[in-house]
């Protein structure tokens, strides 16, 4: 396994979807979830603090809530991605509003790329992802084998 360039991770038929939105985008995400309630109800949903609570209250969908983004929720979602417990993420961030926890946001987006997690940052992409044929089937994502990179670094330091 250390010699392989990539490691395969399976995304099952039931997806684990993280739902995150900045304050200026929460209403859009709630409306999108309500419009897509039938599809989303077949999957496991989680999200950061207020966003998870609003979606759950306004749509009736069960959403596991983590902390608010500025209070560590972005980092909690990132940790779940690393642990293989999130398959994809809808993260509506506000490009016109500065965020006090911007480093956390960037770290979350970075970890999603590292672990090859599909991410929608706008409703059009979220629609394409949710209505993709991959939503109803198993998908194998390929993650670069960082253990191989670490092993090479260790060898060069000997």
């Amino acid at each position: 396994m250390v010699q392989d360039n990539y490691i395969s991770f399976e995304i099952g038929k039931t997806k684990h979807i993280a739902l995150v939105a900045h304050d200026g985008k929460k209403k859009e995400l709630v409306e999108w979830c309500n419009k897509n309630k039938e599809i989303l109800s077949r999957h496991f949903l989680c999200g950061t603090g207020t966003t998870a609570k609003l979606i759950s209250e306004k749509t009736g969908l069960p959403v596991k809530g983590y902390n608010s983004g500025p209070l560590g929720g972005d980092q909690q979602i990132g940790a779940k991605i690393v642990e293989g417990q999130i398959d994809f993420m809808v993260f509506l961030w506000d490009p016109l509003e500065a965020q006090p926890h911007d480093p956390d946001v960037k770290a979350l987006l970075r970890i999603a790329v590292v672990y090859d997690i599909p991410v929608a940052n706008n409703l059009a992409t979220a629609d394409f992802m949710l209505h993709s044929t991959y939503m109803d089937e198993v998908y194998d994502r390929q993650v670069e084998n960082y253990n191989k990179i670490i092993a090479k670094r260790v060898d060069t330091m000997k």
Side-chain angles (χ1 to χ4, degrees), residues 87-149:
D87 299 319
F88 79 78
M89 177 170 56
V90 177
F91 185 171
L92 301 185
W93 55 274
D94 191 341
L96 302 178
E97 190 70 36
Q99 301 297 322
H101 63 295
D102 194 51
D104 297 334
V105 171
K106 287 183 178 162
L108 174 57
L109 293 172
R110 181 187 153 289
I111 210 72
V113 170
V114 168
Y115 284 89
D116 199 28
I117 299 296
V119 178
N121 292 130
N122 57 48
L123 295 179
T125 307
D127 282 338
F128 272 80
M129 284 172 44
L130 198 67
H131 297 284
S132 162
T133 57
Y134 291 121
M135 283 301 293
D136 296 320
E137 53 188 66
V138 172
Y139 179 82
D140 286 323
R141 59 190 171 91
Q142 301 295 307
V143 176
E144 191 166 349
N145 186 352
Y146 293 100
N147 290 327
K148 184 175 182 179
I149 294 168

Side-chain angles (χ1 to χ4, degrees), residues 2 14 27 33 45 63 68 84 87 90 94 103 106 113 117 127 156:
V2 174
T14 300
K27 183 178 181 203
C33 287
L45 307 176
V63 184
S68 174
D87 299 319
V90 177
D94 191 341
K106 287 183 178 162
V113 170
I117 299 296
D127 282 338
T156 63

Side-chain angles (χ1 to χ4, degrees), residues 77-91:
I77 297 285
K80 294 298 178 190
I81 291 171
V82 171
E83 294 168 0
Q85 295 181 30
I86 292 179
D87 299 319
F88 79 78
M89 177 170 56
V90 177
F91 185 171

